[in-house]
Amino acid sequence: MAREFTSVGVVGLGTMGAGIVEVFARNGLDVVAVEISEAALERGRANLTGSTDRAVAKGKLAEADRDALLGRVNFQVGLDALHSVDLVIEAVPEHLDLKQRLFAELDRVCKPEAILATNTSSLSVTEISVATTRPDQVIGIHFFNPAPVMKLVEVIRTVVTSAEVVADVEALCARLGKVDVTINDRAGFIANALLFGYLNNAVGMLEARYASREDIDAAMKLGCGLPMGPLALMDLIGLDTAYEILDTMYRRGGRDRRHAPTPLIKQMVTAGLLGRKSGRGFYTYERPGSPKVVPDELTPMATESALADGARAITKVGVVGSGTMATGIIEVFAKAGYEVVSVTRGVEKSAKVCEAVKTSLNKGVVQGKLSEADRDATLGRVTWSATLERLDDVDLVVEAVVEELSVKKALFASLDEICKPGVVLATTTSSLPVIDVAMATHRPANVIGLHFFNPAPIMPLVEIVQTIRTSAETAATARAVCADLGKTGVVCGDRSGFIVNALLFPYLNDAVKMLEASYSTADDIDHAMKLGCGYPVGPFELLDVVGLDVALDIQRELYLELREPGFAPAPLLEHLVTAGYLGRKSGRGFRDHTHR
Ligand SMILES: NC(=O)c1ccc[n+]([C@@H]2O[C@H](COP(=O)([O-])OP(=O)(O)OC[C@H]3O[C@@H](n4cnc5c(N)ncnc54)[C@H](O)[C@@H]3O)[C@@H](O)[C@H]2O)c1
């Protein structure tokens, strides 16, 4: 029989603590909510009422239920009020000495059978537990931000946590409507161990001025379907908390440089830019604690007209290639009203591409997204050719041929001879350096990367890759074209993986390493990222879709270019590829797809 919890205590009512109070009180538990001072208690109370008021405003909570919820919370200053609770969860700042002192005190104040839990994200639960005389009753209960919304709870057992306590806490999580994964005490547990390297990497990109905050966040939201971008997420977590988590993970997790906090984070913390809670972090918020972003001096100005921005007028576009990307890109441009010249290597290939574009457009007609007249007009704007010479009068060429540098360089050299002056030459490469392609021409200033995502007609993102030779005019033209296509163009430098792949694949590789180390299962890791961080798919589901061979190639490229030891491909990934387990396309990857 699992133990009955009737009253619980929460210590620290900041970003996490207030949300945890709400979770307990919503589920009928009496909560003693404790802070360090009257002022902090008032802030904690405001955090809670702000959240429940928003829930009422959104129709997610009835007013009477909110009042009952708040009625179950007893706000107090000081730990003495916790003498008779069945469980205490601590959510004070992420400092080991503070937590150890707190636990020693809780051990003294709380009744002997009470469970003492920490919400730490990265500190050792074991080290916290030995500050008490009851380490077998100490456990980690790691909620995710915002606690009332995120379904996941990581339950961390140490080598001394008793099995009954683990079972009691698991039953409590179920009562709270949460999904728990129970794991051992390791820095970052599952989700943060996979999340924080990625977040730190994103801050590094911003610090290096590789891309803007808006573009980094838009890239991850639109390219990967994440609920928020990494910098907005850092603001939600709190930069002070994120700094401590990274610092602890760096020290506990084998001094992986990827966890060494990017210097910018420390500067921002020192300057009081803590994120949402202080009203300003990477973004500026309406007021402290508000989720609403307001414009500040870094917000890009919407230009009245692209031409005023220096962009050239584009009406006729050449698309070179006959694969999936070229086909999608032809459709995108033709639909948006551009005159398109498709060039392939032969008449049969042209016929195939034409057929594929027709099929895709017909699908749109069947789904009611496109009228028959618009389909015909779209097709009428495309001419099909097997000779590059037809590109002599286009304003923009988009190249989407095979991903081989020698082939692309030869093609760009030919384009250089054929195309008129002032043309913009774009490559859709996802992994080759754009500058190599640019230098195959005599006009590198006119060359740029336009990295479309697959399927191009659907995915809203385009990475605009500027080399060190790309002119401002070419970049402005690329931005204007993307906007005109209804896509979000994000501008970045010419570095392996651009924004999306450089942030996504190391995370996927880390998930494989975690599985390889037998820390958790593929199912639990997928669960943790979906339910704890709101990801649309887990890392192993995504790897099986992308293809393990593709993931390995990208990861190898990143490792080779950036020489980051932490980017070395996971041996398990290499073995699976060698064994022919490539994911869905081969019937088996991390999971067996043959019987599904
Ligand atoms: N922020 C997140 O996204 C997140 C997610 C999961 C877990 N966590 C963990 O939760 C814990 C709290 O983080 P946070 O982001 O909520 O921090 P926070 O800074 O927002 O809140 C901490 C609160 O603790 C109070 N406090 C400090 N010393 C205290 C004491 N001795 N007694 C009582 N209250 C005290 C502070 O007044 C403050 O209100 C950390 O261990 C953190 O790693 C954070």
Side-chain angles (χ1 to χ4, degrees):
M1 262 296 275
R3 119 167 45 187
E4 246 326 292
F5 293 94
T6 51
S7 71
V8 296
V10 176
V11 184
L13 308 176
T15 307
M16 287 311 290
I20 297 170
V21 169
E22 183 176 337
V23 172
F24 284 127
R26 253 195 200 211
N27 288 282
L29 286 140
D30 290 326
V31 186
V32 182
V34 171
E35 259 293 352
I36 195 165
S37 65
E38 284 296 342
L41 194 65
E42 277 323 300
R43 272 199 309 274
R45 196 196 295 268
N47 283 347
L48 177 62
T49 50
S51 168
T52 50
D53 286 352
R54 278 196 298 275
V56 169
K58 284 188 192 159
K60 290 187 175 160
L61 186 69
E63 266 184 51
D65 290 340
R66 177 206 40 208
D67 297 343
L69 183 165
L70 295 175
R72 281 185 215 109
V73 185
N74 172 11
F75 290 94
Q76 295 288 342
V77 171
L79 301 180
D80 288 340
L82 299 167
H83 54 81
S84 56
V85 298
D86 305 312
L87 173 143
V88 180
I89 176 160
E90 152 286 306
V92 302
E94 189 79 341
H95 298 293
L96 183 61
D97 53 342
L98 171 64
K99 297 207 192 247
Q100 284 182 322
R101 267 187 278 123
L102 182 77
F103 270 70
E105 194 64 11
L106 288 172
D107 190 33
R108 198 181 55 72
V109 170
C110 295
K111 58 187 186 187
E113 64 275 24
I115 294 174
L116 306 182
T118 171
N119 182 50
T120 182
S121 308
S122 57
L123 295 168
S124 159
V125 180
T126 315
E127 282 181 54
I128 294 171
S129 77
V130 293
T132 74
T133 59
R134 53 177 118 177
D136 57 328
Q137 281 160 246
V138 175
I139 193 164
I141 306 182
H142 184 230
F143 283 88
F144 286 78
N145 191 0
V149 179
M150 302 314 288
K151 278 256 172 262
L152 184 77
V153 173
E154 288 173 326
V155 174
I156 298 98
R157 60 171 171 235
T158 73
V159 285
V160 286
T161 311
S162 89
E164 292 83 63
V165 167
V166 174
D168 291 343
V169 168
E170 287 174 342
L172 177 65
C173 290
R175 176 175 166 192
L176 299 175
K178 300 290 184 192
V179 175
D180 73 274
V181 291
T182 301
I183 40 183
N184 295 335
D185 188 13
R186 201 177 97 158
F189 316 129
I190 298 177
N192 284 348
L194 297 181
L195 186 68
F196 271 84
Y198 148 71
L199 295 177
N200 203 31
N201 197 354
V203 179
M205 282 184 178
L206 183 75
E207 191 187 60
R209 298 177 192 273
Y210 176 65
S212 72
R213 62 181 184 186
E214 281 83 3
D215 282 358
I216 293 171
D217 279 353
M220 295 315 284
K221 272 170 70 176
L222 302 177
C224 304
L226 303 187
M228 60 203 308
L231 303 172
L233 179 54
M234 288 285 284
D235 275 358
L236 175 68
I237 291 168
L239 268 72
D240 49 346
T241 301
Y243 177 86
E244 294 302 332
I245 294 173
L246 280 166
D247 189 48
T248 312
M249 287 186 50
Y250 175 74
R251 282 185 281 107
R252 282 186 72 205
R255 299 191 179 259
D256 183 339
R257 277 203 319 230
R258 292 177 304 151
H259 292 137
T262 302
L264 179 61
I265 303 175
K266 183 62 180 260
Q267 290 160 35
M268 291 175 70
V269 172
T270 309
L273 309 178
L274 305 183
R276 273 192 201 184
K277 62 183 162 190
S278 71
R280 182 141 184 211
F282 289 107
Y283 296 92
T284 303
Y285 298 85
E286 201 170 31
R287 59 176 179 285
S290 163
K292 188 161 179 243
V293 173
V294 293
D296 58 22
E297 68 278 9
L298 296 176
T299 306
M301 300 228 268
T303 34
E304 302 268 297
S305 115
L307 295 178
D309 215 15
R312 284 179 221 141
I314 304 285
T315 52
K316 194 167 181 183
V317 179
V319 179
V320 187
S322 51
T324 317
M325 288 316 289
T327 309
I329 293 167
I330 292 167
E331 180 179 334
V332 168
F333 276 101
K335 254 196 205 156
Y338 291 87
E339 214 184 309
V340 179
V341 182
S342 155
V343 178
T344 72
R345 277 173 304 156
V347 179
E348 306 82 52
K349 283 200 193 301
S350 285
K352 247 181 72 196
V353 179
C354 177
E355 228 16 74
V357 172
K358 271 188 195 156
T359 307
S360 173
L361 290 173
N362 280 334
K363 227 187 254 168
V365 172
V366 171
Q367 290 169 347
K369 291 180 186 157
L370 192 72
S371 71
E372 290 193 7
D374 282 345
R375 173 199 59 196
D376 297 342
T378 300
L379 280 170
R381 282 192 280 271
V382 189
T383 36
W384 309 95
S385 170
T387 48
L388 281 178
E389 280 67 26
R390 293 293 300 276
L391 300 176
D392 58 353
D393 64 344
V394 299
D395 309 305
L396 163 72
V397 180
V398 181
E399 163 280 311
V401 304
V402 66
E403 189 76 343
E404 258 174 51
L405 188 56
S406 56
V407 177
K408 293 199 194 265
K409 278 168 84 167
L411 175 63
F412 272 72
S414 306
L415 291 173
D416 192 21
E417 288 182 2
I418 295 165
C419 293
K420 66 181 185 187
V423 69
V424 170
L425 301 176
T427 169
T428 55
T429 182
S430 42
S431 61
L432 301 169
V434 178
I435 189 67
D436 275 316
V437 180
M439 295 313 286
T441 73
H442 294 98
R443 39 180 139 180
N446 294 9
V447 179
I448 198 159
L450 281 181
H451 184 222
F452 284 83
F453 286 71
N454 189 16
I458 293 171
M459 294 295 285
L461 184 73
V462 178
E463 285 173 318
I464 301 174
V465 186
Q466 265 178 290
T467 77
I468 44 173
R469 300 284 298 264
T470 305
S471 71
E473 200 185 3
T474 303
T477 308
R479 283 200 303 273
V481 166
C482 288
D484 195 45
L485 294 174
K487 306 281 184 198
T488 299
V490 295
V491 180
C492 62
D494 184 20
R495 222 175 69 165
S496 180
F498 309 138
I499 300 175
V500 174
N501 287 353
L503 291 178
L504 177 67
F505 282 87
Y507 143 75
L508 296 174
N509 193 48
D510 284 347
V512 180
K513 288 182 184 167
M514 182 178 275
L515 181 71
E516 196 169 17
S518 301
Y519 180 59
S520 187
T521 62
D523 286 350
D524 276 356
I525 296 171
D526 276 352
H527 262 128
M529 296 317 290
K530 287 197 286 188
L531 302 177
C533 305
Y535 282 29
V537 289
F540 297 104
E541 288 167 334
L542 186 56
L543 281 162
D544 273 4
V545 171
V546 168
L548 275 56
D549 50 342
V550 174
L552 181 59
D553 279 348
I554 295 174
Q555 193 59 31
R556 274 193 185 133
E557 288 288 339
L558 288 169
Y559 180 51
L560 280 176
E561 178 165 314
L562 302 167
R563 316 284 169 105
E564 168 55 62
F567 286 174
L572 176 61
L573 187 61
E574 293 182 327
H575 292 177
L576 289 167
V577 172
T578 308
Y581 295 163
L582 306 183
R584 280 182 183 273
K585 61 185 169 190
S586 72
R588 182 165 169 180
F590 285 98
R591 296 192 173 91
D592 185 352
H593 300 280
T594 47
H595 304 298
R596 294 182 186 208

